[in-house]
Amino acid sequence: MSRSQNEEFQQWWNKQRDRNNHDVLYTGDDEAFLTVEIRTPATVDPDKDRIRTRTARQLSRLYLLKFKQLASSFVWIGNSFLYLVRTANRRIANDNPPSVSSSARLYRLIKGFLVVVVLLLCFELAAYFKGWHFTPPSVASAEVALEVVYAWWLEIRASYLAPPLQSLTNVCIVLFLIQSVDRLVLVLGCFWIKLRRIKPVASMAYPTKLVGEGVRLEDYPMVIVQIPMCNEKEVYQQSIGAVCMLDWPRERMLVQVLDDSSELDVQQLIKAEVQKWQQRGVRIVYRHRLIRTGYKAGNLKAAMNCEYVKDYEFVAIFDADFQPPADFLKKTVPHFKGNDELALVQTRWAFVNKDENLLTRLQNINLSFHFEVEQQVNGVFINFFGFNGTAGVWRIKALEDCGGWLERTTVEDMDIAVRAHLCGWKFIYLNDVKCLCELPESYEAYKKQQYRWHSGPMQLFRLCFFDILRSKVSVAKKANMIFLFFLLRKLILPFYSFTLFCVILPLTMFFPEANLPSWVVCYIPGIMSILNIIPAPRSFPFIVPYLLFENTMSVTKFGAMISGLFKFGSSYEWVVTKKLGRSSEADLVAYAESGSLAESTTIQRSSSDSGLTELSKLGAAKKAGTTKRNRLYRTEIALAFILLAASVRSLLSAQGIHFYFLLFQGITFVVVGLDLIGEQVS
């Protein structure tokens, strides 16, 4: 060792000695020999020893405390997970209790589809990490057993599975394009109506005052106003009050409150409200059926069988959450004058809670397009559309001519409209006459409503198909009713929406030989969404949520369509859409300030004061015994996992648009499945 190296080693050794508190002496005077003498210190500092002992004891206690915290965290996580699982099982179990329902059948199919998708994803991930995804092996060159299986899978997929999937894809694309063209034609028709300012014009008009200015009392036809309701304690007052304030001679109008409520306390409240208006001189009667069959159709049918109905010429119908403007009859009844072929005058709905939450905003987009475009265009060009079940005036002679109300479906309004049209009667739609109403604010209520609205038309189509063929209307009207009204807008639309975006699109990720073009996934649906939002321009910021939510609702609409078409038992179930009473008090005042109800605001507010105390007590008693909870919708959650698994597979193939669509659509299904859209509860 050289002298310089010896000196460097001596310095390093002395530093180590000082650091470790050892008394080590290094001597290196002789270059040939190296002498190191280690001596035990003569004295040990007792303070340092205590510090070391205390530090070790503190560290042990610190680690013990951290271990206890970690253990308690694991226990808390385990308890939370068990609570979550129990809650999920309890709420999922209440989703679709009837095992025979079409929803349960559809869920079992989707659950099996989910298992297949997960297995395919695991298989593809294994192939990806093995490198087979980049250089697909052949059966001849495969060496490992799993590689042989993957090679066989590639051949079976390309030769036997992808071709039929591609054929189904092409069929759905054609249906999608046909429906898109129909939607475009309707929008162009609406633009033409706006451009030419086309609207129905009555042959006469009633004055502001009831009698005078050349109009006699006899010039006002006899009108019955019907309000069917069932256990709707939140809204009964506002509808009865609004109808009783209609600007029409009292001698020429009779109000029928058709109460099908099964709760005795609600019956007593409605009776008290009717008696209050009777004391004020309004001709109003209360009817309650002892045998409640046929749901709403049975209720209306029983009311029309009264002996005094033969003295009346028209009947106006309002659901329990509707409040017509005071001049409703003066704006609708004149259209019947001199038009003996006219059976129905339908008016538009106005939603007082359309900005309540995201769900009501999305519903407003759909219904605005329905009224502004579909019903207005069909009313102007072909004088036919589906009756909305409320906010309309019927000629009683037309109801009797087509057979009256029938209890054979859950869409009695569409049923009677179809039969009246086949008998040669015409309809008019008034877009400028609006009736206040309320949108369902919870996903549960909205889902039940949509299920009934999409299963009923298929029941009706199955029942009246041959009646349409045998009817005496023109071939063009028969074709319009069969192909456009029923098949395209009621059957094909929910079929291709669910099949294309919830089944075919995920499968094409696992069967890349079948191609679904990007313009079908993204561009055309985006254009159609823009067309749908045109009647509600304030909703443009919600165009992406609207597109995703409509695809999410396709599973409910598809299940309802299949249920009605094949006569599953759940398709005949009628569930009253839950109302929250949003369109009362402050909402009526706000709407009145816009001018529609300015004349009757003061009277209507005072008329709705009575009974509010009793109603509040009843509502408090009901709420005290029940706690609302968010539900878990297993079908939507299963589809969410399917779409998210497909998005992972598309990521392996670097398919950009497909990946983002599947990802966001899967997240939307998760949000809806966890009941996080609409009215929020605990």
Side-chain angles (χ1 to χ4, degrees):
M1 180 181 295
S2 64
R3 187 177 184 86
S4 61
Q5 291 175 345
N6 191 14
E7 291 175 354
E8 290 177 2
F9 183 73
Q10 180 180 359
Q11 293 175 0
W12 174 81
W13 185 269
N14 292 333
K15 287 180 181 180
Q16 295 298 322
R17 178 199 63 189
D18 296 337
R19 183 181 301 173
N20 297 324
N21 295 319
H22 290 296
D23 191 4
V24 180
L25 180 62
Y26 172 82
T27 57
D29 295 337
D30 191 356
E31 297 180 1
F33 297 96
L34 179 63
T35 305
V36 178
E37 183 180 358
I38 301 176
R39 296 176 301 190
T40 304
T43 60
V44 179
D45 190 354
D47 294 334
K48 290 185 178 181
D49 187 58
R50 283 196 299 271
I51 291 174
R52 289 195 190 96
T53 306
R54 188 187 310 160
T55 303
R57 190 181 301 113
Q58 290 175 347
L59 286 175
S60 63
R61 290 179 180 177
L62 178 63
Y63 288 134
L64 182 60
L65 180 61
K66 288 185 176 295
F67 177 76
K68 289 182 178 179
Q69 292 177 346
L70 184 63
S72 62
S73 299
F74 278 115
V75 172
W76 181 84
I77 292 174
N79 291 334
S80 301
F81 179 75
L82 290 177
Y83 175 77
L84 181 62
V85 170
R86 291 171 184 170
T87 304
N89 287 333
R90 182 170 63 252
R91 297 183 185 177
I92 287 178
N94 294 328
D95 186 11
N96 291 308
S99 59
V100 297
S101 67
S102 61
S103 300
R105 292 187 178 95
L106 183 60
Y107 170 69
R108 286 196 290 267
L109 292 175
I110 292 176
K111 186 167 63 173
F113 184 33
L114 174 61
V115 173
V116 173
V117 166
V118 171
L119 292 176
L120 289 177
L121 178 62
C122 295
F123 200 28
E124 292 292 341
L125 287 174
Y128 181 83
F129 289 112
K130 289 287 186 179
W132 303 334
H133 183 73
F134 303 100
T135 56
S138 62
V139 179
S141 61
E143 299 178 355
V144 187
L146 183 60
E147 188 177 2
V148 174
V149 173
Y150 187 72
W152 277 105
W153 162 246
L154 293 180
E155 291 188 6
I156 294 174
R157 188 179 73 185
S159 302
Y160 301 102
L161 299 180
L165 178 61
Q166 185 65 58
S167 301
L168 180 61
T169 302
N170 296 336
V171 171
C172 289
I173 290 176
V174 171
L175 296 178
F176 174 53
L177 293 177
I178 293 174
Q179 197 275 335
S180 301
V181 171
D182 174 66
R183 188 62 53 98
L184 180 61
V185 171
L186 288 174
V187 172
L188 293 177
C190 182
F191 280 139
W192 178 257
I193 292 173
K194 298 295 183 183
L195 181 64
R196 302 301 298 268
R197 298 181 180 178
I198 302 173
K199 66 177 184 178
V201 179
S203 59
M204 64 165 294
Y206 289 104
T208 304
K209 295 182 180 180
L210 287 181
V211 181
E213 301 181 12
V215 179
R216 303 169 300 170
L217 184 64
E218 292 76 14
D219 293 331
Y220 292 86
M222 300 287 286
V223 179
I224 296 178
V225 183
Q226 297 177 334
I227 313 175
M229 58 181 63
C230 180
N231 296 325
E232 295 174 278
K233 62 180 182 298
E234 296 86 0
V235 294
Y236 75 94
Q237 279 188 320
Q238 58 202 40
S239 59
I240 295 176
V243 167
C244 291
M245 292 306 301
L246 287 174
D247 190 9
W248 199 256
R250 292 185 176 181
E251 299 86 352
R252 315 294 289 179
M253 182 180 72
L254 174 67
V255 180
Q256 287 182 324
V257 178
L258 311 177
D259 182 25
D260 259 3
S261 300
S262 58
E263 300 178 7
L264 294 178
D265 45 9
V266 178
Q267 295 178 25
Q268 295 300 324
L269 287 173
I270 297 175
K271 284 182 181 179
E273 185 72 13
V274 170
Q275 291 173 0
K276 180 195 71 176
W277 286 102
Q278 287 175 343
Q279 295 172 359
R280 297 187 180 186
V282 178
R283 299 179 67 235
I284 179 172
V285 296
Y286 174 85
R287 288 181 53 85
H288 179 75
R289 295 190 299 163
L290 297 178
I291 303 176
R292 300 168 54 248
T293 58
Y295 302 114
K296 182 180 177 181
N299 199 0
L300 295 172
K301 181 180 179 180
M304 294 301 294
N305 288 334
C306 295
E307 184 66 23
Y308 54 77
V309 172
K310 66 178 184 298
D311 299 328
Y312 292 82
E313 188 175 357
F314 304 105
V315 55
I317 304 173
F318 300 99
D319 283 348
D321 62 317
F322 276 72
Q323 302 88 42
D327 57 354
F328 178 85
L329 293 178
K330 285 188 173 181
K331 289 184 176 180
T332 55
V333 173
H335 289 274
F336 291 96
K337 186 72 174 179
N339 193 353
D340 296 335
E341 296 181 347
L342 183 62
L344 169 67
V345 175
Q346 174 71 60
T347 62
R348 184 170 179 169
W349 301 356
F351 311 109
V352 297
N353 61 337
K354 62 182 179 181
D355 297 325
E356 188 66 27
N357 54 43
L358 179 59
L359 179 61
T360 57
R361 292 177 184 272
L362 301 180
Q363 292 179 68
N364 179 59
I365 296 174
N366 261 340
L367 291 173
S368 296
F369 183 87
H370 171 70
F371 288 108
E372 186 82 19
V373 179
E374 289 182 342
Q375 293 220 310
Q376 187 171 212
V377 170
N378 290 328
V380 168
F381 291 104
I382 61 178
N383 297 119
F384 169 70
F385 47 81
F387 175 46
N388 297 319
T390 179
V393 181
W394 277 93
R395 189 190 296 271
I396 295 179
K397 181 182 177 181
L399 292 178
E400 296 172 348
D401 184 41
C402 63
W405 299 101
L406 298 181
E407 308 166 10
R408 57 182 183 173
T409 70
T410 57
V411 284
E412 73 293 327
D413 44 8
M414 184 182 295
D415 186 1
I416 201 166
V418 169
R419 287 184 283 115
H421 182 62
L422 295 179
C423 292
W425 293 95
K426 295 182 179 180
F427 304 160
I428 282 180
Y429 172 74
L430 302 180
N431 193 55
D432 55 349
V433 181
K434 301 178 181 179
C435 290
L436 283 170
C437 65
E438 180 182 344
L439 292 167
E441 296 183 13
S442 67
Y443 179 67
E444 178 182 6
Y446 179 64
K447 183 175 181 177
K448 291 178 179 178
Q449 181 196 68
Q450 292 299 306
Y451 190 92
R452 176 167 56 86
W453 285 5
H454 286 81
S455 64
M458 290 297 97
Q459 302 170 18
L460 180 60
F461 179 65
R462 191 185 66 251
L463 293 172
C464 70
F465 176 73
F466 292 104
D467 294 335
I468 297 174
L469 297 179
R470 290 191 296 262
S471 65
K472 297 180 180 180
V473 298
S474 64
V475 177
K477 290 184 177 180
K478 292 180 181 179
N480 171 74
M481 184 171 290
I482 293 176
F483 294 106
L484 291 181
F485 185 75
F486 278 113
L487 290 181
L488 183 60
R489 297 167 188 166
K490 303 297 188 298
L491 189 148
I492 291 178
L493 178 58
F495 170 77
Y496 88 76
S497 297
F498 173 75
T499 307
L500 193 61
F501 296 108
C502 298
V503 178
I504 292 179
L505 179 58
L507 282 178
T508 55
M509 298 300 101
F510 297 97
F511 299 83
E513 295 83 1
N515 180 39
L516 185 62
S518 300
W519 55 268
V520 176
V521 177
C522 182
Y523 303 126
I524 300 298
I527 295 174
M528 291 299 104
S529 299
I530 293 176
L531 295 180
N532 286 357
I533 292 182
I534 287 177
R538 291 180 54 194
S539 302
F540 264 100
F542 303 97
I543 183 171
V544 174
Y546 170 74
L547 173 61
L548 297 174
F549 181 70
E550 281 301 293
N551 291 335
T552 305
M553 283 303 300
S554 65
V555 60
T556 299
K557 298 175 181 179
F558 176 80
M561 182 267 293
I562 295 297
S563 176
L565 191 62
F566 295 102
K567 293 182 64 175
F568 293 149
S570 59
S571 64
Y572 290 91
E573 181 183 2
W574 178 288
V575 180
V576 178
T577 304
K578 181 177 176 55
K579 312 296 192 311
L580 299 178
R582 297 287 189 187
S583 51
S584 60
E585 297 305 314
D587 295 322
L588 284 175
V589 175
Y591 191 74
E593 291 175 354
S594 66
S596 296
L597 291 175
E599 297 180 358
S600 59
T601 302
T602 306
I603 302 176
Q604 181 137 339
R605 288 187 64 194
S606 63
S607 68
S608 62
D609 289 337
S610 64
L612 283 179
T613 305
E614 291 81 358
L615 184 61
S616 300
K617 292 179 180 178
L618 177 62
K622 295 289 184 183
K623 291 179 180 178
T626 58
T627 302
K628 296 168 60 180
R629 293 184 175 91
N630 291 75
R631 298 181 62 184
L632 298 178
Y633 297 94
R634 56 187 184 181
T635 304
E636 285 80 354
I637 293 177
L639 279 169
F641 286 124
I642 291 174
L643 294 172
L644 293 176
S647 68
V648 175
R649 178 62 181 86
S650 67
L651 188 62
L652 300 180
S653 303
Q655 294 178 324
I657 293 180
H658 295 75
F659 166 73
Y660 290 113
F661 182 86
L662 288 166
L663 176 63
F664 289 115
Q665 189 65 70
I667 294 174
T668 306
F669 267 104
V670 171
V671 172
V672 174
L674 296 178
D675 201 9
L676 299 179
I677 186 172
E679 177 196 19
Q680 291 303 298
V681 293
S682 62

